[in-house]
Amino acid sequence: MQKIKPLDHLVLILGVLFLCVPVVMALMSSTHYPVDIHSNGLFLTPGDNGLATYTKVLTDRGGFTGDVTGLRMLMNSLIMGVGFAVGKIVLSMMAAYALVYFRFRFATILFWMIFTTLLLPLEVRIMPSYQVMSTLGLLNTYTGLIVPLLASATGTFFFRQFFKSVPDELLEAARIDGAGPWKFFIDVLVPLSKTMMAAIFIIMFIYGWNQYLWPLLMTTDEHFYTLMRGIKSILQVWVGSQIPDYNEAFALAVLAMLPPVAVVVIFQRMFIKGLTESDK
Amino acid sequence: MTRGSGPRARAPRCNQNSGTQVTDTPMTTLETERTLLARLRAWYSAEDANPTKRVQFDRPLTPWLFVLPQLAVVAIFFYWPSVQAVTSSFYIEDPFGFGSTFVGMENYGDAVTSSQYRDTALFTAFFCVVVTALSLGLGLLLAVKADKVIRGTETYKTLLISVYAIAPPVAGLMGMMFFDMHMGPIKDLFALFGHDLRVGIDYWDTAIALITISVWKQIPYNFIFFLSGLQSVPVPVREAALIDARSGWRRFRDVILPLLAPTAFFLLIINITYTMFDTFPIIDVIVKDKPANNPMTLVYKVYLDGFKGNDIGGSSAQSVILMVVVAALTVLQFRFLERRVHYG
Amino acid sequence: MQKLATATVAFALTASTAMAATDITWWHGMGGRNGEVINEISQKFNDAQDTCKLTPVSKGTYEEALSSAIAAFRSGEQPNILQVFDAGAATIIAAEGATIPAEDLIRNAGEEFNRDDFISGVRGFYADADGKFIGMPFNSSAPIMYYNVAAFEKAGVEPPKTWEEFETVAPKLKEAGYLPLTASQLTWMMVENFKSRNNQQFATNNNGYDAIDGTEIIVNDENQVMMFEKLKAWADDGLFGFYGAGWSDNLKPFEEGESAMWIGSSGSFGGLQQSADFEFSADFMPYWDSIEGAGTQSFIGGAALFAMAGKSDEENACSAQFFSFLTSPEIQVYWHKNTGYVPVTEAAYEMAKSEGYYDEKPVAEVGIKQLQLESGEWTRGYRMGFYPQIRTVMEREFNRIFSDEVSVQDAFDTIQEEGNQLLARFAKTSS
């Protein structure tokens, strides 16, 4: 269709370089010794400590109980990521649907009630949030880990933007076919939103996956350890009493990238599908 | 904005006789009224004044069922804690909850009268504009290019998006090592141009580091959404545009950009909140948790006073000020900017 | 139905407490190797007896641990034992009722407690005005001066004991091609421990120990200002390197062999052994010979353990048992050797010495010896609320001093003023 100039590739390659060189350096640095990283900084070439590092990170049984393995941390992070992303998509699609496709009393007030939650991140209201969770008896539960994070309007806002740009003819056509609000939502809007769902899933999965402070505050049980806590714990060394195991932190970070990247690759197919479907 | 040259012809207006299920949104007449009350009402019903669906369902109960889960979560996990934060802002209290003194507006007074706080506010505004502009601009540029090329497109996309997946503490650590004042490669880069980069000592050098890392972290986010916005532009529209407008830039400006407007508006607001609120871990890493006289944002100050210093009253007051300011900003954007956004 | 379930749960709970050991929890703020040593010590405690079962929980950094505990306390979910860092000690000690004084806890449990068992520099910091231990000193450190042995040989001089000696030695080190001095965390080294090493008053109300109300910081006095005017002059002459507030930025030149001396923590030597590929040694942090009564011991840094209130007698007895276990010489020496922190009791120090540990690693002894120096009127510690914020103000002003934005006197006048505002705010938290 359009002409592709070499310049386009150049821009993309520069962008990839700017964004990805640090990631490559993380990967390379994970194969070096911590003292070398401490003294020389990041590496662009592989070292010879890679196998040992990755073996240790994957098999080491850490924590007091000895149950904190790489696998358990991975699983907890996955639960956080998937739970948060799915919860967010379901809640926010429904809410956005109500706000865009219905005319009802108090809609404006509801709109602003939901949208003000864009304004204050959890970190700022973290102390009172803890008290609320404790009152509800949700400390040390996955529910308590995931649900409070859902109280933000990013997803709702995004789907509102998308629904508003969906052609009105669709609703008119559906109405002629005799479709009610539920049928229209499930049969028309949800399939239409695939591309958007894929984009928001990626973002929200990584958001949940990367949580640190809230799980730290909320849980006292080592069984809830996530990869992020593992990484932070390695890097947290007091006034140079030891050299932190930078290589292990980088290795964990590289491992921690794999599932989100897998999500990206899987959903990439949906990106493409979304495109071809709107061709019809 | 695109009324004349829009890709789709607008469907004929639906009339009142379209049954009970669907009705028109009535035209608002409030704008002509001059009373304060009416203007106030016009203001808070902004949502209706904005371009919205011409056809909507009109059922009293169903929308509540759809909105209820979100509403419940928001009420319990946002409003309940926030009310407590507002209450705390009028007290100076012992963090463990043993003693407290009601001080009225003193916490607010202490915050806004400090010259330090004003400097921080100014920097936050500057930081916000720069980071938002750069990360939106670069994200859009890359998305447009990635949408355009055919060869290697999946590779570019995967690479660009996957950066977003790097764990924040490690991203921070890498940023710190890149800008390290003794061995950082970026220090060497600046040395080539004769500038001695001293992140952590020099105010603006630290600002450069903060901006670079914040933009770096945010580009993939904008890239994903811009790309998904671009890919939902139907192919016939693109092909029509190709015939209509020869120059790539004009095609982009007249056809693609208007179609991206809803996404761009969403991203603008999200990016502003990102720079305001989500950049404090980056600051914490770069200043090595000792801000000294380096630039910081208002939220970092809240974090410093509240979470690290345990001054619950003072930090609550600062959060409330922040909330009010950002709320005002957001409302303004919805009121004035969204009018220019054309939905389908 | 629900009642039945609740009853079953309640029965199960009482049954389990009657049969099994009493569970207690310990929240700490340590990661890396130190976090592992905490797990090992807890395991040793559980293996040593069977009435109590201790579970250590990592709660991120010191600040995150304290904030978590505050949130938990307000909801009645607090741990039995909490680790609190030096600058945060005033917050938890001021909240009477949040903790049980360590001494009371141990005595109530019928165990012995003797203040004189502890190294003298450790006794005062976490105690009240009467010397009663509120917190249990746990991981302690002292600021000491590390030096590059080859640098001093090359310059043909001896490491300085006083700042006056430093002024004669430093130019020779410079001639020999070295940056004579760098120092990490000037707040800890050049303010807090300047006060302690030179026996200078740091705050009114007996360094803040006697009362919260009306406590004022003392930093814009002649001697304190002199210390920084010297540092600034040294920096201008290339005798002292200032690299901002970050700990590692100021350590790096020493690790690279560029600077001849570095003032850091006694606990840093473990890391230095790995990162410095030259011979280094250490000595006490210098003091001013010209100040009368100077040369006294330093304040301890690090953290202490606090027993939190609102727990059953059985659990408190277990906490007491653990505190006693922790101060036993064997555990102290284990901790000392594995983490680089100094032992807190005389007995533990003697044991490490008799095992020949200091013949092997003489640097490990410097911090302890400095804490055992003669004490003075102002050396037991300081107690100021919102102290983390006061440190932030100091760090800001120090950067300004070294970038020529303010004079030393003006900077300390600002610290004095803003520090006192913060202290006045803190006084309102407890009324």
Side-chain angles (χ1 to χ4, degrees), chain A residues 110-148:
Chain A
L110 282 185
F111 172 81
W112 286 111
M113 265 188 78
I114 292 175
F115 282 81
T116 41
T117 58
L118 278 173
L119 311 178
L120 204 58
L122 186 74
E123 279 80 2
V124 173
R125 55 192 156 89
I126 201 156
M127 291 292 212
S129 298
Y130 180 94
Q131 275 167 284
V132 169
M133 295 316 285
S134 161
T135 314
L136 297 175
L138 289 174
L139 300 177
N140 279 321
T141 60
Y142 285 112
T143 318
L145 281 174
I146 294 168
V147 178

Side-chain angles (χ1 to χ4, degrees), chain B residues 325-343:
Chain B
V325 170
V326 183
L329 261 178
T330 312
V331 170
L332 279 179
Q333 293 181 87
F334 268 99
R335 286 288 286 157
F336 294 109
L337 219 53
E338 209 193 1
R339 290 194 174 164
R340 304 176 61 98
V341 174
H342 172 75
Y343 295 95

Side-chain angles (χ1 to χ4, degrees), chain A residues 130 134-135 137 139 220, chain C residues 27 71-79 311:
Chain A
Y130 180 94
S134 161
T135 314
L139 300 177
T220 50
Chain C
W27 288 7
F73 187 85
R74 292 171 75 114
S75 309
E77 307 271 356
Q78 72 273 27
K311 296 291 182 181

Side-chain angles (χ1 to χ4, degrees), chain A residues 11-271:
Chain A
V11 169
L12 282 169
I13 288 166
L14 283 179
V16 167
L17 279 180
F18 173 60
L19 291 175
C20 291
V21 163
V23 177
V24 174
M25 287 180 109
L27 175 64
M28 292 305 171
S29 301
S30 69
T31 62
H32 285 263
Y33 293 92
V35 176
D36 294 339
I37 300 169
H38 178 82
S39 333
N40 304 325
L42 300 164
F43 286 89
L44 254 177
T45 48
D48 58 359
N49 192 31
L51 192 66
T53 305
Y54 283 89
T55 320
K56 181 162 182 229
V57 162
L58 282 171
T59 57
D60 200 25
R61 304 177 75 82
F64 179 64
T65 49
D67 289 345
V68 188
T69 55
L71 203 65
R72 171 165 289 275
M73 292 196 283
L74 194 79
M75 199 188 75
N76 282 331
S77 294
L78 267 178
I79 294 175
M80 289 285 291
V82 173
F84 180 68
V86 170
K88 191 86 171 186
I89 288 174
V90 171
L91 285 196
S92 51
M93 272 188 94
M94 283 167 63
Y97 180 54
L99 289 174
V100 173
Y101 278 95
F102 288 85
R103 214 162 64 83
F104 62 113
R105 283 166 69 91
F106 308 117
T108 311
I109 293 169
L110 282 185
F111 172 81
W112 286 111
M113 265 188 78
I114 292 175
F115 282 81
T116 41
T117 58
L118 278 173
L119 311 178
L120 204 58
L122 186 74
E123 279 80 2
V124 173
R125 55 192 156 89
I126 201 156
M127 291 292 212
S129 298
Y130 180 94
Q131 275 167 284
V132 169
M133 295 316 285
S134 161
T135 314
L136 297 175
L138 289 174
L139 300 177
N140 279 321
T141 60
Y142 285 112
T143 318
L145 281 174
I146 294 168
V147 178
L149 298 174
L150 297 174
S152 136
T154 342
T156 318
F157 184 19
F158 182 68
F159 281 114
R160 167 190 182 264
Q161 296 304 90
F162 175 64
F163 290 162
K164 283 186 123 186
S165 57
V166 168
D168 289 345
E169 292 88 332
L170 281 175
L171 178 55
E172 281 156 16
R175 204 172 46 79
I176 290 163
D177 290 350
W182 292 94
K183 199 170 160 51
F184 176 70
F185 183 63
I186 305 285
D187 288 352
V188 180
L189 226 38
V190 171
L192 202 64
S193 312
K194 264 187 188 164
T195 321
M196 304 298 152
M197 281 160 80
I200 208 112
F201 188 92
I202 292 169
I203 293 290
M204 294 306 162
F205 176 81
I206 293 172
Y207 182 85
W209 176 263
N210 280 345
Q211 281 303 306
Y212 168 71
L213 198 58
W214 182 242
L216 174 80
L217 205 65
M218 271 285 300
T219 60
T220 50
D221 190 334
E222 283 187 347
H223 292 103
F224 290 100
Y225 245 63
T226 60
L227 276 173
M228 234 26 69
R229 284 187 71 179
I231 293 173
K232 282 278 253 195
S233 173
I234 289 173
L235 292 177
Q236 182 198 332
V237 164
W238 167 83
V239 297
S241 55
Q242 288 102 25
I243 306 294
D245 292 320
Y246 293 114
N247 54 331
E248 288 178 27
F250 284 126
L252 271 183
V254 168
L255 290 179
M257 278 184 77
L258 297 180
V261 169
V263 167
V264 170
V265 171
I266 292 166
F267 278 92
Q268 196 134 83
R269 308 212 172 274
M270 283 182 71
F271 268 142

